[in-house]
Amino acid sequence: LEQRKVIREGMDASIVERVAKELLRIPVQTLLNGLGLPSSTVLRKISKHERLSGPESDRVARVLYVLELATDVLEDPKLAAQWMQKPLFELDGMKPLEVLDSQPGYDRVKDI
């Protein structure tokens, strides 16, 4: 329930940079594209130290949760981050990060 509260209230927009650069080691734009988030809006929120909306926060939370699951399975955060960027047969050649923008995609990645 605590996660739900954080998502509904909106995460600090700077989390997008931290997830992209520190956890996934990818450009911020790649993360925004994968999650289907509007670059100009999110980058403005980052620069003005604003909060993400609930739906924006939910998409970022999906990445964090899947990355945590992948780290548990692969036992290496670096390998988990790489896996998030790897095209998978089970996703019709798409990368896990590319399908986390929808609930069905998120559910499928969790199953994999």
Side-chain angles (χ1 to χ4, degrees), residues 25 56 58 62 75 78 83 92:
R25 295 178 182 90
E56 292 164 343
D58 183 53
R62 291 175 187 187
E75 299 179 345
K78 216 173 187 178
W83 178 83
D92 293 329

Side-chain angles (χ1 to χ4, degrees), residues 23-111:
L23 299 178
L24 295 174
R25 295 178 182 90
I26 60 174
V28 171
Q29 190 61 50
T30 301
L31 178 60
L32 294 174
N33 291 344
L35 294 177
L37 294 174
S39 299
S40 58
T41 302
V42 175
L43 293 175
R44 177 185 50 78
K45 288 180 179 184
I46 292 170
S47 70
K48 293 188 175 195
H49 307 287
E50 295 177 355
R51 301 189 85 62
L52 298 172
S53 68
E56 292 164 343
S57 295
D58 183 53
R59 290 185 187 183
V60 174
R62 291 175 187 187
V63 172
L64 291 169
Y65 184 67
V66 168
L67 189 57
E68 181 181 346
L69 289 175
T71 300
D72 287 347
V73 170
L74 299 171
E75 299 179 345
D76 184 334
K78 216 173 187 178
L79 287 176
Q82 291 170 356
W83 178 83
M84 296 279 289
Q85 286 294 302
K86 181 181 176 186
L88 300 178
F89 173 79
E90 301 89 344
L91 297 175
D92 293 329
M94 295 181 76
K95 302 170 186 175
L97 185 59
E98 295 174 328
V99 300
L100 294 177
D101 61 338
S102 70
Q103 189 64 43
Y106 173 65
D107 291 340
R108 182 69 181 121
V109 171
K110 285 192 320 181
D111 290 344

